[in-house]
Amino acid sequence: MAKKTLAQKRKQTRLYAILGMLGVLSLGAFLVIKAFEENILFFVTPSDLVERELTGNEQFRLGGLVEPGSYLKEKDTLKVSFVVTDGGATIPVEYEGLLPDLFREGQGVVAEGIINSEGIFIARTILAKHDENYMPAEVAEALKEKGYWQEEDGNGEN
């Protein structure tokens, strides 16, 4: 077997170094993507939720409108319950804590939490609209697709 020349040894060392760096970069990219994947909360409407089978420990965002007449507050506690709808399906929601000042029946809401074995969404966070003209883009789009929500024009009329 012939001996490797100095030039061949340098090329081989350089090749191993490049392959090692590519491996480290690939591993880093994989870890970053995995971290984002675990922290991303996807958005579902009540109709989407009825169609999907979600495990009880999977955290996600539920968006829609607070169904008029569904809001109930337990006396002397911060526990509330209400129903979120998109016009096609409804999901009961339970939450313990202070609600945003702009939380109202008939308005857009996004709740972050998990669904329990009884089909009740246990919210950890409630997000309400910011002003009278705002609705989260995902909620508005989902409700428009169901024909349940129409945008108001500049005069406050449909």
Side-chain angles (χ1 to χ4, degrees):
M1 209 155 126
K3 284 188 168 180
K4 292 184 182 179
T5 65
L6 186 58
Q8 288 174 327
K9 286 181 183 179
R10 283 185 187 159
K11 285 182 183 180
Q12 188 176 19
T13 303
R14 195 176 300 146
L15 176 65
Y16 289 146
I18 290 171
L19 290 175
M21 284 188 274
L22 285 175
V24 169
L25 286 174
S26 297
L27 179 63
F30 171 76
L31 293 174
V32 167
I33 290 170
K34 193 68 174 164
F36 279 127
E37 184 180 289
E38 290 177 4
N39 292 324
I40 291 176
L41 296 174
F42 60 93
F43 170 88
V44 296
T45 63
S47 293
D48 292 337
L49 187 58
V50 169
E51 293 172 10
R52 295 182 183 180
E53 290 185 24
L54 297 173
T55 61
N57 54 359
E58 186 176 349
Q59 186 167 331
F60 62 95
R61 288 183 179 178
L62 173 68
L65 296 177
V66 178
E67 191 169 72
S70 69
Y71 174 76
L72 296 171
K73 182 180 184 312
E74 286 187 23
K75 190 174 182 177
D76 299 328
T77 70
L78 294 176
K79 291 182 181 180
V80 297
S81 64
F82 55 93
V83 175
V84 173
T85 186
D86 63 359
T90 59
I91 299 293
V93 177
E94 291 182 357
Y95 176 70
E96 185 169 0
L98 295 173
L99 290 168
D101 290 339
L102 298 173
F103 177 89
R104 290 183 183 51
E105 292 180 343
Q107 300 296 325
V109 66
V110 175
E112 293 181 16
I114 60 173
I115 195 149
N116 69 14
S117 60
E118 299 166 0
I120 298 171
F121 187 82
I122 308 300
R124 293 188 178 121
T125 306
I126 300 291
L127 308 169
K129 63 185 190 123
H130 293 127
D131 65 27
E132 63 189 42
N133 297 317
Y134 175 79
M135 177 172 293
E138 299 102 345
V139 174
E141 188 61 35
L143 293 172
K144 286 177 193 175
E145 286 176 12
K146 303 284 183 190
Y148 193 70
W149 183 72
Q150 296 176 344
E151 236 176 316
E152 294 181 350
D153 64 18
N155 300 324
E157 298 175 7
N158 289 339

